[in-house]
Amino acid sequence: MKGAVLRPLLPLLGALSLLALWQICTGLRLIDPFLLPGPVTMLQSLVDSLRAGPLLHDFLATIGRTLLSLLIALLIAVPLGILLGSSEKLYRAVEFIVDFFRSTPATAVFPLFLVFFGVGDSTKIAVAAFGASLVILFNTAYGVMNARKTRLLAARVMGASRLRVLVDVTLWESLPQTFIGIRSGVSLALVIVIVAEMFIGSRDGLGHSILDSQMLFEMPKMYAAIFLSGALGYGLNAVFLMIERRFIHWGGK
Amino acid sequence: MPLPTAAQTNAASPIATRPAAAERPAVVTPLKRNAGIEIKGLVKRFETATLYDGFDLTLPGEKITAVFGPNGCGKSTLINMIAGILPYDGGSILIDGKPIKSTRVAYVFQNYREAMFPWLRAVDNIRYPLKYQKLDPAEGERRLGKLLADFDVRFDINRYPYQLSGGQQQLVSIMRALIVQPEVLFLDEPFSALDYELTLMMRDQLQRVIVEREITTLLVSHDLDEAIYLSDHLLMLTRQPTRIADFVAIDLPRPRRVATLSDDGFVALKAHCLSVFEREVRRGGGGQL
């Protein structure tokens, strides 16, 4: 009974403990308060920069880039994944290429993309879309390949053509796995966008804000931007998880 | 209800307007009887073995035939070839004189969980095969209503399959098969995943509905009691290469009840079938009986 009441509070308890530990460290000057300002200072700076500073603009710029790259990745990867997944031979033929590039750190291809897309937003979005699309492609293809044979057979025996089986069964069957790909893809896209904002000539974005504050030694601002990046990553995952639970109600059942 | 023929389904209105009291087999004579299934010289090879080699079989129309035999004798393989979901290497299979492609068939799978579409509500699962029939939507709804009444369905069919119990799911899957008024119905161990109590009840309902509709039915069963209880004929197969061990007429009166299972006639038939089965298992050298 006591445990049941406490259970939902446990995550909050963990977070509060971390904040308390942080406050104690700065309070006792265990770490130079200039390098690690206390949580209150950080939150104060977060509120101030969101209100008056450019942080809100940076935040929105990063969301915009991440979502745009996700959209591009979806448009490319979902149809391609369905195509590859519906032909086992075709998938086996390109499996190595997909796996190879999926294993290549997307940041390693920045210079390559710079050559093609120049210095600007298009490079950041292109690399993030590239990274995310491989993850989504891989998951969609696997979802299609692992569609329950009985279900496909059931549709065929009821008189469905190959195309109808694809639309009515295979696509639905692959959706839970596709959504896993989308969630991994959006996390990866966010990482790539933030790294790109740090190092590929940027004038805005959370990555730019973090690096800029660090170089100017505006530590509270830097922590505020880092915190915001974390919140963004967590929030995006939570939103997609919510969509998934609503839309893929049969998943895992 | 008589077996639907092409003429009847194309002109749906006579059925739709017929009063409920007339829906008795005795009143309306079918326009055409289903002549049954004719298999000639069937050949099916797998990589390592030949399962069927020049297999001939004639199955009666509008009757229930159960298929029984030792493990691995190819019961499911046979009905899957007849149903057109498994290719074969030679010979011919005709249903009422037609190839399977132009026959309206329905199939109930053993694994109902994997045969339902969980993204559709139960009722839409039942309606799904109607989209491949050229049928007046009102006639589809009429058939749905009749099925729900015949099976005395009391659970909420607007739920999703995963919200239903195993027995309810298999019932939905049986109704999905019957709504197209199939010329041949295939049942692949439909109750093997259900508990005994439920199996007894569902056998009863299924018997009633199929016999009333006079559907040509092929049932694969691992359970000899069930095979005899439901069928008009019991096809017993040998070990591979598969041949016919016996084709037993089950002339027990219908409707059969749980008490039928301890009837003298039933017991005698079962003893006969068991001895045939035992002989076949011994002959194959896998005598574990």
Side-chain angles (χ1 to χ4, degrees):
Chain A
M1 188 65 209
K2 216 171 164 188
V5 177
L6 262 173
R7 196 165 283 274
L9 297 176
L10 286 179
L12 198 65
L13 207 66
L16 286 176
S17 310
L18 183 68
L19 284 178
L21 191 70
W22 181 3
Q23 186 60 56
I24 290 166
C25 282
T26 37
L28 295 176
R29 296 185 168 260
L30 294 175
I31 300 168
D32 187 344
F34 177 74
L35 293 181
L36 181 65
V40 179
T41 323
M42 189 274 288
L43 286 174
Q44 189 60 53
S45 161
L46 178 65
V47 172
D48 289 348
S49 331
L50 276 178
R51 259 208 209 130
L55 199 56
L56 183 63
H57 171 73
D58 289 327
F59 181 61
L60 293 177
T62 302
I63 293 181
R65 287 179 187 126
T66 307
L67 291 183
L68 186 56
S69 53
L70 179 73
L71 183 69
I72 295 169
L74 282 176
L75 290 177
I76 296 171
V78 171
L80 210 57
I82 291 167
L83 183 74
L84 292 182
S86 41
S87 159
E88 181 117 14
K89 275 185 201 149
L90 194 60
Y91 186 78
R92 293 299 161 215
V94 296
E95 187 178 25
F96 171 73
I97 307 172
V98 172
D99 275 352
F100 182 83
F101 282 106
R102 210 163 55 89
S103 313
T104 308
T107 42
V109 294
F110 272 141
L112 178 68
F113 276 71
L114 276 172
V115 174
F116 282 99
F117 293 93
V119 185
D121 259 10
S122 40
T123 302
K124 302 182 189 73
I125 291 163
V127 182
F130 169 75
S133 64
L134 285 167
V135 180
I136 298 172
L137 173 74
F138 166 80
N139 277 288
T140 305
Y142 260 83
V144 169
M145 275 190 286
N146 292 332
R148 309 279 157 88
K149 296 287 173 286
T150 313
R151 250 169 227 154
L152 305 179
L153 220 51
R156 258 189 52 201
V157 96
M158 289 188 272
S161 63
R162 273 181 68 112
L163 184 69
R164 276 250 75 103
V165 173
L166 183 75
V167 174
D168 282 356
V169 185
T170 314
L171 256 177
W172 292 88
E173 276 280 281
S174 68
L175 272 179
Q177 189 69 36
T178 302
F179 257 86
I180 293 175
I182 294 175
R183 275 194 290 127
S184 318
V186 76
S187 300
L188 184 63
L190 179 64
V191 170
I192 296 171
V193 164
I194 286 191
V195 173
E197 285 167 349
M198 287 180 180
F199 301 111
I200 303 181
S202 245
R203 262 163 280 134
D204 54 12
L206 286 175
H208 169 259
S209 169
I210 293 167
L211 196 69
D212 221 34
S213 325
Q214 184 250 330
M215 289 198 290
L216 298 171
F217 282 105
E218 289 181 308
M219 298 315 260
K221 246 178 123 179
M222 184 188 84
Y223 282 105
I226 292 175
F227 176 81
L228 211 53
S229 311
L232 177 56
Y234 187 87
L236 280 175
N237 197 56
V239 166
F240 280 95
L241 198 63
M242 208 175 71
I243 297 174
E244 185 179 326
R245 287 208 179 124
R246 262 207 97 117
F247 188 52
I248 318 287
H249 54 86
W250 70 91
K253 280 172 185 150
Chain B
M1 227 191 98
L3 188 91
T5 61
Q8 270 184 322
T9 38
N10 286 346
S13 48
I15 299 179
T17 51
R18 205 192 320 138
E23 283 170 5
R24 294 283 131 214
V27 178
V28 182
T29 41
L31 301 175
K32 197 183 100 194
R33 308 290 294 189
N34 185 324
I37 300 169
E38 184 90 39
I39 300 174
K40 279 201 183 122
L42 183 69
V43 179
K44 176 69 186 172
R45 292 186 202 94
F46 285 108
E47 273 171 29
T48 51
T50 300
L51 194 53
Y52 288 93
D53 193 7
F55 186 83
D56 296 318
L57 176 69
T58 306
L59 296 174
E62 295 166 17
K63 296 284 172 198
I64 304 174
T65 305
V67 188
F68 191 76
N71 226 353
C73 73
K75 301 184 284 282
S76 295
T77 307
L78 179 65
I79 77 159
N80 287 348
M81 287 190 289
I82 300 173
I85 55 182
L86 191 71
Y88 45 94
D89 302 304
S92 70
I93 300 175
L94 291 178
I95 295 172
D96 197 20
K98 300 170 296 182
I100 186 73
K101 275 193 219 99
S102 30
T103 306
R104 200 166 52 249
V105 297
Y107 199 114
V108 174
F109 294 85
Q110 175 183 11
N111 191 339
Y112 47 82
R113 250 182 214 96
E114 296 201 347
M116 293 274 95
F117 300 151
W119 47 87
L120 296 180
R121 294 175 187 280
V123 63
D124 293 323
N125 266 286
I126 302 173
R127 284 188 190 122
Y128 179 82
L130 290 177
K131 69 198 256 185
Y132 302 112
Q133 315 286 324
K134 291 183 190 77
L135 202 68
D136 179 14
E139 165 62 9
E141 290 309 297
R142 193 200 65 86
R143 287 187 192 177
L144 177 67
K146 172 120 174 59
L147 279 171
L148 294 175
D150 281 355
F151 281 106
D152 192 21
V153 172
R154 291 188 195 157
F155 57 90
D156 182 7
I157 50 165
N158 283 310
R159 289 172 163 235
Y160 287 99
Y162 55 81
Q163 295 170 320
L164 302 176
S165 73
Q168 292 168 342
Q169 287 184 50
Q170 190 60 305
L171 193 57
V172 168
S173 132
I174 289 170
M175 290 192 285
R176 178 177 76 173
L178 290 174
I179 200 163
V180 300
Q181 300 193 334
E183 291 168 79
V184 188
L185 171 66
F186 297 90
L187 303 163
D188 187 5
E189 301 189 32
F191 308 132
S192 63
L194 303 178
D195 62 53
Y196 193 62
E197 190 187 337
L198 212 55
T199 302
L200 286 183
M201 201 188 79
M202 289 192 57
R203 267 183 206 167
D204 228 46
Q205 288 184 321
L206 191 68
Q207 156 189 246
R208 191 167 40 74
V209 172
I210 296 181
V211 169
E212 183 188 300
R213 287 170 164 73
E214 299 185 319
I215 301 169
T216 308
T217 301
L218 266 173
L219 163 80
V220 167
S221 181
H222 265 147
D223 180 345
L224 188 54
D225 277 8
E226 174 173 296
I228 297 173
Y229 182 86
L230 282 176
S231 67
D232 299 300
H233 300 274
L234 181 64
L235 171 68
M236 301 199 66
L237 297 174
T238 66
R239 283 181 177 276
Q240 52 174 286
T242 311
R243 282 166 291 104
I244 299 170
D246 202 350
F247 192 68
V248 187
I250 310 290
D251 43 13
L252 302 168
R254 290 189 190 270
R256 297 169 190 164
R257 302 194 169 80
V258 175
T260 308
L261 293 170
S262 48
D263 232 38
D264 286 346
F266 184 91
V267 172
L269 274 169
K270 187 176 168 186
H272 169 74
C273 295
L274 261 180
S275 73
V276 173
F277 182 70
E278 197 175 9
R279 186 187 75 210
E280 288 313 320
V281 169
R282 288 240 175 87
R283 184 176 291 171
Q288 284 165 345
L289 207 75

